[in-house]
Every structure is written in C-alpha cells, then in structure tokens.
C-alpha cells in the first residue's frame, strides 16, 4: 500500500578546521590553564568533549590516554604529544578527574563560551566555533602533515575511513 520514496542525499557543507597556527593563537588567548588543558585533549588527542571532560587523571599516564567506555562503549589508547603533555602536566597528580569541576564546569556551554571569547581575542572568526571543531582540527592537521589516513581513522576512532572523509 505504500510507495517507496527515495530521499535525496543531503550534501554536507564543507567544514572548516583550525590550522596549527590558529590553534596556537586560541590557546595563547586563553588565560585559564584548565581550559587550555581541556581543549588540548580535543585538539591534540582527538577526544570528544565528554571524553576530555570526564577523563580520570589515572587514565592519562606514561604518554598514553586511556579512553574507557567512549562513544559507542569503545575503549581506546591514544598517544600524548609533547604539546599536550605540557598542557595537562599540572593535572596529572589529581585524584579523580584530570581537570577538576572547580576549574572547568561540566557543562559544555561554559567551555564553548570560553572558547568563543578566546577566538575573539585571537581574532579567529571564520566558521562555527565548537568543541567538535577542535577534534576535527586534530584529524585535519594530521592529514595536512601527511599522516597515513588509516592511522588518523584509528586515532579518531571512526569505524570507517568514509567517516573520516565525510567531514
């Protein structure tokens, strides 16, 4: 009784990413070391906001970030770069959360507002300002550096290489 109707494929708009230089300017504009550490987890390790915000200090040790029960219940081990190590170093001896609630509220809207302020100070105004842009800037910058696409896919924890290139 029902006709099969084909739905047209929606074209995704091109997403803009922040270059390494732009990220440096954003981080320099931010006064709070806690926000810099939070954003660093997304921009330099590719964590999602909830993964970065809920990361336990004990799961960021010995040059490795251990994501426990990430999106889709996936666990992962990700390398900590020298740049990220400098940002999170003051928090590694914490008990519980790597970045305490007292320094960065749990709600993402607070962190986005702070990111918007830092972008304004850094005079970076192109495109949408979001946590996810930090995460995907991580992938984009790795690809710009000619990192193997399969490696980037694994670091981003995408189930398919197509997902990596659909942004």
């Amino acid at each position: 009784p029902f006709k099969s109707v084909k739905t047209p494929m929606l074209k995704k708009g091109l997403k803009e990413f922040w270059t390494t230089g732009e990220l440096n300017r954003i981080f320099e504009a931010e006064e709070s070391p806690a926000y810099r550490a939070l954003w660093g987890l997304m921009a330099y390790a590719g964590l999602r906001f909830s993964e970065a915000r809920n990361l336990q200090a004990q799961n960021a040790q010995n040059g490795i970030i251990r994501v426990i029960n990430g999106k889709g219940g996936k666990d992962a081990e990700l390398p900590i770069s020298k740049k990220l190590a400098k940002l999170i170093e003051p928090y590694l001896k914490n008990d519980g959360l790597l970045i305490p609630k007292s320094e960065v509220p749990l709600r993402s809207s607070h962190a986005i507002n702070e990111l918007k302020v830092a972008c304004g100070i850094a005079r970076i105004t192109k495109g949408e300002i979001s946590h996810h842009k930090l995460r995907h800037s991580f992938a984009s910058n790795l690809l710009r550096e000619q990192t193997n696409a399969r490696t980037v896919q694994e670091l981003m924890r995408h189930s398919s290489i197509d997902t990596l290139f659909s942004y």
Side-chain angles (χ1 to χ4, degrees):
F2 297 100
K3 268 187 173 177
S4 176
V5 178
K6 278 195 170 190
T7 336
M9 290 292 291
L10 297 175
K11 289 185 180 179
K12 287 187 178 186
L14 287 178
K15 304 252 186 198
E16 293 179 338
F17 304 101
W18 289 311
T19 64
T20 303
E22 290 169 324
L23 288 170
N24 289 340
R25 289 181 17 226
I26 292 167
F27 281 68
E28 288 169 10
E30 178 54 48
E31 292 179 12
S32 166
Y35 276 111
R36 287 194 305 265
L38 177 70
W39 300 339
L41 291 166
M42 292 178 268
Y44 302 132
L47 296 186
R48 294 171 177 88
F49 175 80
S50 60
E51 294 167 342
R53 190 63 206 90
N54 296 312
L55 183 65
Q56 299 289 309
Q58 67 186 15
N59 292 330
Q61 302 292 326
N62 303 318
I64 299 289
I65 292 172
R66 286 176 185 75
V67 176
I68 309 297
N69 203 21
K71 184 177 179 184
K74 294 179 187 174
D75 294 345
E77 288 192 355
L78 305 166
I80 297 174
S81 68
K82 289 179 185 177
K83 195 175 270 191
L84 178 57
K86 285 181 185 178
L87 295 172
I88 66 172
E89 192 273 328
Y91 302 99
L92 292 176
K93 295 206 183 334
N94 286 348
D95 288 329
L97 291 175
L98 180 70
I99 304 165
K101 289 186 279 185
S102 60
E103 293 188 45
V104 174
L106 291 174
R107 299 208 46 205
S108 68
S109 59
H110 291 97
I112 289 174
N113 288 338
E114 192 71 19
L115 183 58
K116 287 178 181 180
V117 169
C119 286
I121 293 169
R123 299 189 191 288
I124 296 175
T125 57
K126 71 177 183 184
E128 179 187 1
I129 296 172
S130 71
H131 301 125
H132 218 62
K133 192 169 184 175
L134 289 167
R135 174 175 155 72
H136 284 279
S137 292
F138 168 71
S140 182
N141 288 325
L142 286 175
L143 291 170
R144 283 186 189 119
E145 294 170 9
Q146 301 192 353
T147 304
N148 178 286
R150 290 274 180 211
T151 301
V152 177
Q153 173 196 348
E154 286 180 28
L155 291 171
M156 294 294 288
R157 292 160 286 129
H158 287 157
S159 56
S160 162
I161 194 87
D162 295 334
T163 306
L164 180 66
F165 292 110
S166 69
Y167 287 94

